[in-house]
Amino acid sequence: MKGIVLAGGLGSRLYPLTHATNKHLLPIYDQPMIYYPIATLVNAGIDHIMVVTGGPHAGHFLRVLRDGKHLGVRHLEYAYQENEGGIAEALGLCEDFADGDNICVILGDNTTDADIRPAVESFTEGALLFLAKVPDPHRFGCPRFDPNDPTRILRIEEKPREPASNYAVTGLYIYDARVFDYIARLEPSDRGELEITDVNNFYLADGLLRWVELEGFWTDAGTFESLHRANRYWAERRGWRAQPVEDTSSVVHKA
């Protein structure tokens, strides 16, 4: 199986930070953000990886990732997404790289400590989505479950105003080669993008979609709140502890 990290976009929700560099190169505690999704793939045994980037800071990745060897990547390729055409458009750039193999796709702003190796090793065909319970499912693709069978997804809704569940489709997916046929059938959404949610619904309609709940920590880092959450978690995981701040407001200084 090959791995794909989607790290394009302008990161406008994180302006002014992303005026300086690509969002996925911002720090999560002591590492660039993109190290985390790459580690998720490498820890699952995937060491042939393509990074899709875009925007004015795309060249910054070369200095950070180089050939990937220092991260455990055996073969690293890059692709450039010229426009803001959506996740599915970015994934479509990887068809030649995939070369008919199954692929594990992760968004570049996703951080998780979940072990996905069992799912990778047991995958055979179709699509496998990783879901997580979140406090803000309206920011994500959100599954609508069958009220008579809570394990069965009826449809995935993209950024719904009134989410049908408290689950989010995380930016972590496993697909077979059909994914590129589905992408070729897509029409731009009202946002002018090719939506990965539409790809997932194609798999669902054809009876080829499964899902599992991620075990462990997961968050994206695409907003200031989620960026802070990711930094806090990984800092504490690596031993950092907040120190109490001394209150000096009542200290009287003599002249």
Side-chain angles (χ1 to χ4, degrees):
M1 186 177 294
K2 294 176 179 175
I4 295 170
V5 181
L6 302 180
L10 297 177
S12 57
R13 288 180 297 176
L14 290 176
Y15 283 163
L17 302 183
T18 46
H19 286 313
T21 192
N22 184 285
K23 171 180 74 172
H24 308 90
L25 300 178
L26 295 175
I28 301 292
Y29 189 48
D30 58 353
Q31 296 180 2
M33 187 187 298
I34 197 167
Y35 277 23
Y36 294 84
I38 289 176
T40 297
L41 298 176
V42 170
N43 292 338
I46 300 170
D47 58 10
H48 278 57
I49 295 174
M50 171 169 273
V51 174
V52 181
T53 184
H57 309 298
H60 295 181
F61 283 88
L62 293 176
R63 294 186 62 187
V64 174
L65 298 181
R66 306 193 298 277
D67 62 2
K69 297 294 192 297
H70 60 299
L71 300 175
V73 180
R74 189 167 61 163
H75 178 85
L76 179 63
E77 293 187 27
Y78 297 90
Y80 183 79
Q81 184 182 17
E82 293 189 12
N83 301 306
E84 303 297 305
I87 293 172
E89 182 194 73
L91 181 54
L93 300 175
C94 304
E95 185 171 7
D96 289 343
F97 169 75
D99 194 26
D101 288 346
N102 297 328
I103 54 175
C104 185
V105 182
I106 185 168
L107 301 189
D109 67 351
N110 275 218
T111 75
T112 182
D113 59 9
D115 179 11
I116 66 167
R117 182 184 283 264
V120 167
E121 293 180 344
S122 63
F123 182 83
T124 55
E125 65 173 351
L128 178 65
L129 305 187
F130 294 87
L131 306 186
K133 290 182 179 178
V134 296
D136 48 1
H138 62 276
R139 290 204 299 118
F140 305 94
C142 180
R144 178 178 294 275
F145 293 101
D146 185 339
N148 299 315
D149 180 1
T151 68
R152 179 172 175 260
I153 295 176
L154 296 177
R155 183 166 179 80
I156 301 168
E157 299 167 342
E158 179 64 17
K159 295 181 174 62
R161 291 185 178 180
E162 298 182 3
S165 70
N166 61 346
Y167 279 93
V169 177
T170 69
L172 182 54
Y173 326 85
I174 302 178
Y175 296 119
D176 64 12
R178 292 181 181 91
V179 67
F180 299 106
D181 296 329
Y182 290 138
I183 291 173
R185 292 167 48 188
L186 292 177
E187 297 289 339
S189 67
D190 292 340
R191 301 193 300 165
E193 298 184 357
L194 301 186
E195 305 285 358
I196 199 67
T197 291
D198 292 338
V199 171
N200 294 331
N201 280 323
F202 281 148
Y203 273 106
L204 183 62
D206 289 342
L208 295 168
L209 184 138
R210 297 182 300 112
W211 68 275
V212 294
E213 185 172 353
L214 274 178
E215 296 182 2
F217 174 80
W218 173 88
T219 187
D220 72 325
T223 66
F224 288 111
E225 292 79 8
S226 58
L227 179 64
H228 174 75
R229 181 164 57 246
N231 270 279
R232 181 82 183 213
Y233 174 81
W234 289 102
E236 292 181 352
R237 183 180 172 95
R238 296 194 175 108
W240 175 85
R241 294 293 181 269
Q243 299 298 317
V245 178
E246 183 179 357
D247 183 2
T248 60
S249 61
S250 61
V251 175
V252 177
H253 297 279
K254 294 182 179 180

